[in-house]
Amino acid sequence: MQRANGSLKISFSKNEIRNLHYTTPLRAFSNDDGNDDIPAAVIVNTSGGLVSGDKHKVNINLKNNCKALIFSQSAEKIYKSVNNIEANISNEIKVGENSWLEWLPQETILFENSRLNRSLKIYLSKSSESLAGEIVVLGRLAKGEFANNVFLKDFISVYKNSKIQWLDIVLFDDEIKKARKSITRLGGANCFFTIVFSSENVEKYEQIIYKFIKNNILDLTISLTIINDNLVIRGMSEDPLFLRKIFAKIWIFIRSDIKKLPPFMPKLWWV
């Protein structure tokens, strides 16, 4: 069976896309919602998802004094594995000095018996900042499928001046039911998100974000932690749509109240 080996390279300079190269099934286009937001690129997987042995590699490069938003057009679907072969996604982002990056994918939906190995590496420079997120949904819940047998190794790391600042690995190796029943793992949740806000001023922002979450977000299991210069926010829920709305609410608050950017998510992100 033929496997997909998609690659994508995007370079931003002087607040615009300067270089863009991709191979099928990955593509990318500039995106402008007409609200005077920062330059944005939308990533498209024309195959609609990944299966056993597929490999996707994305490289994003922001030059100095630059701002950019990268987001995906639709949810990433990870289909049933054949012969226990994993799909692989590798994302690497380099952010130049005094630059701001937003990495805003839509949710990753893990089908029953799917297998995914994914990494996100963010390399920050002096005075650069980033806001990165991931949403994971265990099964096609809208169709009544609650995944039990999935493999997921989701690796996120943030570097500053080439030194590791934060590293996290989410690992599921089948038997999701046990994780759902464990109060120290999923605690009954079917989906979860991670948001990591990386900034040299993160301690200054912690209480502002904490008060917003405390006063505006109810009925959701959520945590907030600082590790070095990284503010890590996690949320879990039984309902993917509700989780997605809370994710967007926190994201918009950080980009608007903290970074003074337009208080919107990209229109395509809501489709």
Side-chain angles (χ1 to χ4, degrees), residues 85-105:
I85 300 174
E86 300 165 7
N88 289 273
I89 300 175
S90 173
N91 302 307
E92 185 173 294
I93 304 169
K94 295 181 179 180
V95 186
E97 294 183 8
N98 304 308
S99 292
W100 165 257
L101 166 89
E102 291 178 66
W103 174 259
L104 178 61

Side-chain angles (χ1 to χ4, degrees), residues 6-12 17-32 40-47 57-60 69-74 103 268:
S7 66
L8 171 64
K9 294 181 179 180
I10 309 176
S11 178
F12 289 84
I17 297 175
R18 283 300 179 96
N19 293 293
L20 172 61
H21 180 268
Y22 53 79
T23 60
T24 304
L26 293 179
R27 292 188 179 182
F29 306 92
S30 60
N31 183 80
D32 185 354
V42 53
I43 298 175
V44 180
N45 178 5
T46 59
S47 66
K57 187 172 184 179
V58 175
N59 292 90
I60 310 294
L69 165 63
I70 314 294
F71 70 99
S72 54
Q73 181 193 38
S74 61
W103 174 259
L268 274 176

Side-chain angles (χ1 to χ4, degrees), residues 56 76 112 114 130 167 184 196-197:
H56 287 182
E76 191 72 273
E112 177 70 350
S114 62
S130 66
L167 184 150
T184 61
V196 55
F197 178 28

